[in-house]
Amino acid sequence: MPRPIVAEIHPNAVRHNLEVARQKVAGARIWGIVKADAYGHGIERIYAGLDAADGIGLLDLNEAVRVRELGWTKPILLLEGIFTTEDVQIADRYRLTTAVHCDEQLALLASCKATRPIDIYLKMNSGMNRLGFAPDVYRAAWDRARECVNIGEITLMNHFANADEGEVDWQMDRFDATTAGMPGQRSLANSASVLWHPRTHRDWVRPGIVLYGASPTGMAEHIADVPLQASMTLRSELIGVQTLREGETVGYGRTFTAPHAMRIGVVACGYADGYPRHAPTGTPVAVDGVKTRLVGRISMDMLTVDLTPVPAARVGSRVELWGGQIRIDDVASSAGTIGYELMCALARRVPVGIV
Ligand SMILES: *Cc1c(COP(=O)(O)O)cnc(C)c1O
């Protein structure tokens, strides 16, 4: 028997969440963002839930090829663009749309022979200062792109630095001022902008995290009014139970001391499964459907939980680490991170089922 831990992936939740996003963006088209192997879910596992997307966005060339080979005929967007001349050939062969964010990428596209023009997303750095052409050189880059025989349609692209904290106008104003009068479609919005900044929606939006049912801010309360469903459940079982006397401690470092006699459960899940080691005592967890809390330090293969609210719990009781009952955002914020990181960190050794 393998250990009882399992991650369940829910493609229907992705389908539902995509529909929620669609209702937010009126007529805009949607890139379903599946970078990092669909935020740790596995592209193939959630693929059925992406039917209604207008395109699929990611940044690993091998993932792009995998999506094409699954039979996806709609557009595929490389969010970081191409890195070598061979990448240009692959983009050509697999009909990929590619971001272009620097002169080197324009030069790569110009230096090859494509069988047909490649559509690009010309990325502006409107203040994030990660990738993109600064506003004062953006138009010149656009002129060069237009002259390149290997480049087809040019979409004007931007990415926001703090859409999740409410501020997009300063970047939006720079983007609009720079691109005034330029033809071409626009694509600016990530999940936070899809939810909270209608001004940014334009022609194509690029939601990622909301498709997986988690909050762009990392805080569950910020999406309390958005009917999203969790696309990943991490569950396991109790493999041991201990009864502590008042004053006894549990686990490495003895970080939790029983304030009174109590039962604790030992769960087959640890940081080697992708559970965050920084999750402190108090992090939510559910045992037999009853919400309780983690106690003590997470170890490599196990963690310990307070069984006080679940007196009937015993070896074999079901445990939900995150999913429909325990929000991944709540586990993440308790551990000082965001749902994105927990999803992406799900360990290879965890068996995965599609439910
Ligand atoms: C990851 C990414 C997105 C999606 O971001 P979410 O916050 O997950 O919605 C959109 N656009 C770009 C360029 C990205 O890299």
Side-chain angles (χ1 to χ4, degrees), residues 75-134:
I76 298 174
L77 172 61
L78 294 171
L79 294 163
E80 281 182 359
I82 36 103
F83 303 95
T84 64
T85 49
E86 198 198 356
D87 293 354
V88 181
Q89 310 297 344
I90 294 171
D92 181 30
R93 178 154 11 113
Y94 289 91
R95 289 177 297 109
L96 309 179
T97 302
T98 179
V100 171
H101 63 75
C102 61
D103 288 326
E104 289 78 359
Q105 290 184 330
L106 276 176
L108 274 176
L109 281 163
S111 70
C112 305
K113 218 171 137 45
T115 60
R116 74 198 116 192
I118 295 172
D119 293 339
I120 69 162
Y121 268 48
L122 192 68
K123 186 158 185 180
M124 185 188 300
N125 168 22
S126 64
M128 171 100 170
N129 287 319
R130 217 172 48 177
L131 300 180
F133 295 95

Side-chain angles (χ1 to χ4, degrees), residues 33 35 39 59 79 123 130 157 159 189-192 206-210 216 340:
I33 303 300
K35 61 192 183 189
Y39 291 49
L59 46 76
L79 294 163
K123 186 158 185 180
R130 217 172 48 177
M157 179 187 191
H159 196 56
N190 57 6
S191 292
R206 306 189 304 269
I209 195 70
V210 292
Y340 297 71

Side-chain angles (χ1 to χ4, degrees), residues 162-165 189-197 209-210 216-217 340:
N162 53 351
D164 55 333
E165 276 148 33
N190 57 6
S191 292
S193 301
V194 163
L195 295 182
W196 300 311
H197 305 294
I209 195 70
V210 292
T217 64
Y340 297 71

Side-chain angles (χ1 to χ4, degrees), residues 178-209:
T178 307
T179 57
M182 291 170 74
Q185 302 191 74
R186 270 76 170 154
S187 176
L188 306 101
N190 57 6
S191 292
S193 301
V194 163
L195 295 182
W196 300 311
H197 305 294
R199 180 185 174 198
T200 68
H201 292 170
R202 310 291 163 102
D203 301 295
W204 284 86
V205 295
R206 306 189 304 269
I209 195 70

